[in-house]
Amino acid sequence: MLQEILAAIVSALIVDPLQAEMSERLAQIRAPQTVIADMRTCAEASLPKLADRALADPLWVVKATLDVWTGRTAPEEVLGGTSAQCDAAIKAARIYLESRGA
């Protein structure tokens, strides 16, 4: 029960904003839809691991939320390392972001 509540909080405060920001940045530079979809899937798939981390370290949620909302942390930094799928999606997204100067 507690993990489900934390998952909802992590989703609302961290994953959803990260997903929205990455999708917006990629759409602005006209990245292929597959790259955008892969990032969306990555964000959704990272939720259980991020919820586990939040359960183990509740202060991390507060810090990560503030860092994301203030722009001190890039979305890919929070999502990176949550799975091999995310790492591949982030690598593909970075290629487009860096090549377009975004």
Side-chain angles (χ1 to χ4, degrees), residues 46-69:
S46 70
L47 184 56
K49 188 162 186 177
L50 294 176
D52 287 344
R53 183 171 181 186
L55 188 59
D57 185 7
L59 290 177
W60 172 82
V61 175
V62 174
K63 182 182 180 315
T65 300
L66 290 174
D67 287 347
V68 167
W69 284 3

Side-chain angles (χ1 to χ4, degrees), residues 17-18 21 25 63-78:
L18 291 177
E21 181 180 338
R25 286 172 54 197
K63 182 182 180 315
T65 300
L66 290 174
D67 287 347
V68 167
W69 284 3
T70 60
R72 288 186 294 198
T73 298
E76 55 270 19
E77 291 178 31
V78 175

Side-chain angles (χ1 to χ4, degrees), residues 75-88:
E76 55 270 19
E77 291 178 31
V78 175
L79 298 175
T82 58
S83 71
Q85 177 188 12
C86 268
D87 291 343

Side-chain angles (χ1 to χ4, degrees), residues 14-60:
I14 299 174
V15 175
D16 292 347
L18 291 177
Q19 180 180 338
E21 181 180 338
M22 284 300 293
S23 293
E24 181 180 325
R25 286 172 54 197
L26 290 168
Q28 286 176 348
I29 61 168
R30 299 175 199 240
Q33 287 300 311
T34 56
V35 172
I36 296 170
D38 287 348
M39 280 305 302
R40 187 175 307 117
T41 302
C42 162
E44 292 167 0
S46 70
L47 184 56
K49 188 162 186 177
L50 294 176
D52 287 344
R53 183 171 181 186
L55 188 59
D57 185 7
L59 290 177
W60 172 82

